Amino acid sequence: MTLDSLSIHLTLAVSQTTHHDLLAQLVRRAVDDDWLREGVDRAALEANPALARETFRQAVARLATMADTVPADEVLWEARKNAFREQTPEPLPVLTGPGGERIAGAHRLRGGAQFHLVREGSQVMLSVG
């Protein structure tokens, strides 16, 4: 805390993209696959675990085939946007130690990140670019 000068303390959220996030994006993109949209006989699947597992494998195989053709950059971008929206941010240290050494568990800011402040009345907006 500084008493003799104005200071700004920022809290930034860094969202991690997981394998689950990527899979969820592939599933969202599978809406055009007629086979995946077909109804299943849930009673038959519940009565026959082997049939259920085979149906799971078929669904995964269709997603794997689709993964060869989807635009990877679009899937990754959607996963990033969703991770940012859905994950609860937690405090994350970004400062270095007294000698400039990296603190274990601290996030390294991306080189070239620029912060922009815009004042609107009594509000201040921050953007990172």
Side-chain angles (χ1 to χ4, degrees), residues 28-104:
R28 285 188 184 104
R29 289 177 170 267
V31 297
D32 294 329
D33 185 307
D34 291 336
W35 185 87
L36 287 170
R37 295 185 66 190
E38 283 179 15
V40 296
D41 183 348
R42 193 170 51 218
L45 297 176
E46 289 170 352
N48 186 344
L51 175 62
R53 283 190 286 279
E54 178 56 31
T55 303
F56 301 157
R57 282 191 287 276
Q58 289 174 357
V60 170
R62 292 187 83 85
L63 284 176
T65 299
M66 189 186 72
D68 289 334
T69 60
V70 297
D73 58 336
E74 292 177 15
V75 172
L76 294 170
W77 178 246
E78 287 302 318
R80 176 182 283 192
K81 286 193 315 186
N82 283 339
F84 181 75
R85 266 193 261 44
E86 295 171 2
Q87 293 181 355
T88 304
E90 296 179 12
L92 183 68
V94 295
L95 302 176
T96 58
E101 71 278 5
R102 186 164 182 228
I103 300 171

